[in-house]
Amino acid sequence: MTKLSVQLFTMRSIQDDALMLDSVKQAGYEFVELYGAKLARGTALAGLLAERGLKATGSHVALLDLTDDIETVVENAQAFNISSLFVPSVPVPQRDMPAEGWRELGTRLAFLSDKLSGHGISLGYHNHDWDLHLKDGDKTALDLVFEAAGSAPLQWEADIAWLARAGVDPVFWLKRYSNRLAAAHVKDLAPAGGNKEEAGWADVGAGVLEWKVLWPAAIANGASVMVVEHDKPLDPSATIAKSFHYLQENLL
């Protein structure tokens, strides 16, 4: 059964963890996806989740954290009883690197995914629009990452709105890497020129993306977790509540 989760990065402006999780619970969610700073809270935050009957489906984790102290990452993941980690991005200076840099990233992620698999944890990569830039003929950066990863158990968390923002067909890409697809981020794009104060993003169902097509396509191609997110909400509690209501009324 597909799980509906919410990425706590959406809620980062709420500094108090208890209040943040109360908003998540009140909006109707049962699952959350962590990001690096929350994963690092370990047992303390895990306790707050448990008190509210919330569970974590997985977490984002910085590549540097995996490289420098993979043991602590594993310990924190175990505190939340999660078995899925996703590298959310490369550092800003690397986002326009040439093809060889992306191949090296794929090799590095493959190595780390093998190490984590020994602890019962899968590793995946999460895309943005720059991952769809062409780097070697008709091959994008994302193609090169997955190609270099080879047979390693590297998964993919597809950010569908970032695929759309990159100007590609999300459904085509969901099918293209269905063998790696494990989860998908669910957020929306405002009409062109809209919601400038929110960097052009919108609450799910309030934008231009066709979720009645995209949602089932993600699930059909392997996504077992669908993660609501908004990169820059003015009112995060209202955003996740409105997104949940839209999904509950139309897709759940």
Side-chain angles (χ1 to χ4, degrees), residues 60-74:
H60 284 187
V61 60
L63 187 59
L64 186 62
D65 289 342
L66 285 171
T67 303
D68 288 354
D69 194 356
I70 196 169
E71 292 80 10
T72 296
V73 171
V74 168

Side-chain angles (χ1 to χ4, degrees), residues 63 90-98 101-102 105 108 130 135:
L63 187 59
V90 293
V92 174
Q94 297 178 32
R95 293 174 186 175
D96 196 35
M97 60 186 170
W102 293 100
L105 174 63
R108 188 176 177 190
W130 54 81
K135 295 294 177 178

Side-chain angles (χ1 to χ4, degrees), residues 59 61-63 66 70 73 83-87 108-114 116-117 121-125 152-157 180 182:
S59 181
V61 60
L63 187 59
L66 285 171
I70 196 169
V73 171
S83 58
S84 298
L85 297 174
F86 299 97
V87 172
R108 188 176 177 190
L109 289 171
F111 171 75
L112 291 168
S113 68
D114 282 334
L116 287 170
S117 67
I121 298 172
S122 65
L123 181 65
Y125 184 68
L154 181 66
Q155 297 186 330
W156 179 33
E157 181 175 61
R180 296 191 184 273

Side-chain angles (χ1 to χ4, degrees), residues 125-200:
Y125 184 68
H126 168 276
N127 69 275
H128 288 78
D129 59 343
W130 54 81
D131 296 292
L132 281 301
H133 292 171
L134 294 176
K135 295 294 177 178
D136 183 1
D138 62 354
K139 293 182 179 180
T140 67
L142 191 63
D143 287 319
L144 298 180
V145 168
F146 289 149
E147 183 180 275
S151 61
L154 181 66
Q155 297 186 330
W156 179 33
E157 181 175 61
D159 192 308
I160 294 174
W162 275 115
L163 289 173
R165 185 165 274 193
V168 302
D169 177 5
V171 175
F172 171 85
W173 282 86
L174 293 170
K175 292 178 180 178
R176 184 178 180 89
Y177 289 110
S178 60
N179 62 317
R180 296 191 184 273
L181 186 62
H185 269 203
V186 180
K187 61 190 176 204
D188 222 326
L189 296 176
N195 290 9
K196 291 183 178 180
E197 69 281 9
E198 294 186 301

